[in-house]
Amino acid sequence: DAKTTQPTSMDCAEGRAANLPCNHSTISGNEYVYWYRQIHSQGPQYIIHGLKNNETNEMASLIITEDRKSSTLILPHATLRDTAVYYCIVRAAPNAGGTSYGKLTFGQGTILTVHP
Amino acid sequence: NAGVTQTPKFQVLKTGQSMTLQCAQDMNHEYMSWYRQDPGMGLRLIHYSVGAGITDQGEVPNGYNVSRSTTEDFPLRLLSAAPSQTSVYFCASNSRAYSGTSGTDTQYFGPGTRLTVL
């Protein structure tokens, strides 16, 4: 699975949009970009994933550049409860087969702190 | 659905003791995994299973054993605990089913077991 690079920490004011960047310059054509977050002491929580098109769900939006070498997770109206470590993970699609299925490779992630 | 449950929540062991961390899921997921998380670090994969009777090693398997006799349960055994195994352990499960090329195979994580080995 491709390696990702994220800033160590970011701050955001409550109510503003939080934009979390991720570089994945070695991503392969069959690899997806996944975002998980981990609120203090809890298990990681899935946020969103995408292949090449921008994606949006009830939690966030994911913007992937045309060359797929980087992406941005957007929390449109950050709240104090969004304070967490955010992990950007690149992995092969489930139908790619092989032993990568089911495994997530976590890096250090970005510590997002939302301020009142 | 309870999702992924783990027991115990906290455990203190002495060096050399053995114990089993329990993990269960009620979502009929084929895939289950064990991760450990050391302070200030991301999660690292210990072992995983793609179905009952099938397990494989992850990044850091040494000192741990697993088995998968049922779809629901995936226990992690520490045969002889060492201080280096002090960590938070997370179990996860996900379904093999996916919609075409959507890549939808969200992993669901349990609340974790905090283990201290003295």
Side-chain angles (χ1 to χ4, degrees):
Chain A
D1 294 338
K3 184 177 178 179
T4 62
T5 304
Q6 299 177 252
T8 302
S9 62
M10 295 183 66
D11 290 334
C12 178
E14 189 177 20
R16 304 296 295 269
N19 298 298
L20 290 85
C22 179
N23 286 326
H24 32 79
S25 58
T26 60
I27 192 170
S28 299
N30 69 337
E31 289 180 317
Y32 284 75
V33 180
Y34 283 78
W35 284 84
Y36 280 75
R37 74 180 182 183
Q38 186 175 23
I39 296 171
H40 181 62
S41 299
Q42 298 181 20
Q45 175 191 25
Y46 166 82
I47 302 173
I48 198 167
H49 75 281
L51 181 62
K52 56 183 178 180
N53 296 323
N54 297 338
E55 302 288 345
T56 296
N57 62 20
E58 64 278 3
M59 289 182 69
S61 294
L62 175 61
I63 308 298
I64 302 174
T65 58
E66 191 169 345
D67 63 7
R68 302 207 324 121
K69 293 185 177 181
S70 65
S71 60
T72 301
L73 176 75
I74 301 172
L75 307 179
H77 305 288
T79 70
L80 298 179
R81 287 176 293 181
D82 291 322
T83 293
V85 180
Y86 287 77
Y87 296 99
C88 170
I89 299 166
V90 172
R91 58 178 287 227
N95 57 348
T99 58
S100 66
Y101 191 86
K103 297 190 291 183
L104 294 172
T105 301
F106 288 83
Q108 299 278 6
T110 296
I111 301 171
L112 174 68
T113 304
V114 181
H115 299 285
Chain B
N1 286 351
V4 179
T5 57
Q6 293 183 237
T7 56
K9 286 189 170 63
F10 300 93
Q11 183 70 50
V12 179
L13 293 177
K14 294 181 180 177
T15 297
Q17 286 185 314
S18 63
M19 81 159 295
T20 299
L21 308 185
Q22 301 292 344
C23 174
Q25 53 94 7
D26 61 359
M27 297 173 281
N28 202 31
H29 286 168
E30 296 88 351
Y31 290 80
M32 296 186 74
S33 311
W34 275 102
Y35 295 83
R36 62 175 287 175
Q37 185 173 34
D38 300 324
M41 304 283 290
L43 282 73
R44 291 184 293 170
L45 182 67
I46 305 172
H47 285 286
Y48 67 100
S49 168
V50 299
I54 307 171
T55 64
D56 204 349
Q57 296 181 349
E59 300 173 65
V60 288
N62 293 339
Y64 308 95
N65 280 352
V66 292
S67 60
R68 184 97 179 272
S69 57
T70 67
T71 300
E72 295 77 19
D73 300 299
F74 191 43
L76 178 72
R77 280 183 286 277
L78 285 71
L79 298 179
S80 179
S84 61
Q85 294 178 304
T86 293
S87 190
V88 181
Y89 291 84
F90 291 101
C91 178
S93 75
N94 58 298
S95 172
R96 186 171 58 194
Y98 58 91
S99 175
T101 58
S102 69
T104 304
D105 63 334
T106 303
Q107 286 210 355
Y108 296 87
F109 285 81
T113 294
R114 283 145 187 80
L115 176 68
T116 301
V117 182
L118 303 175

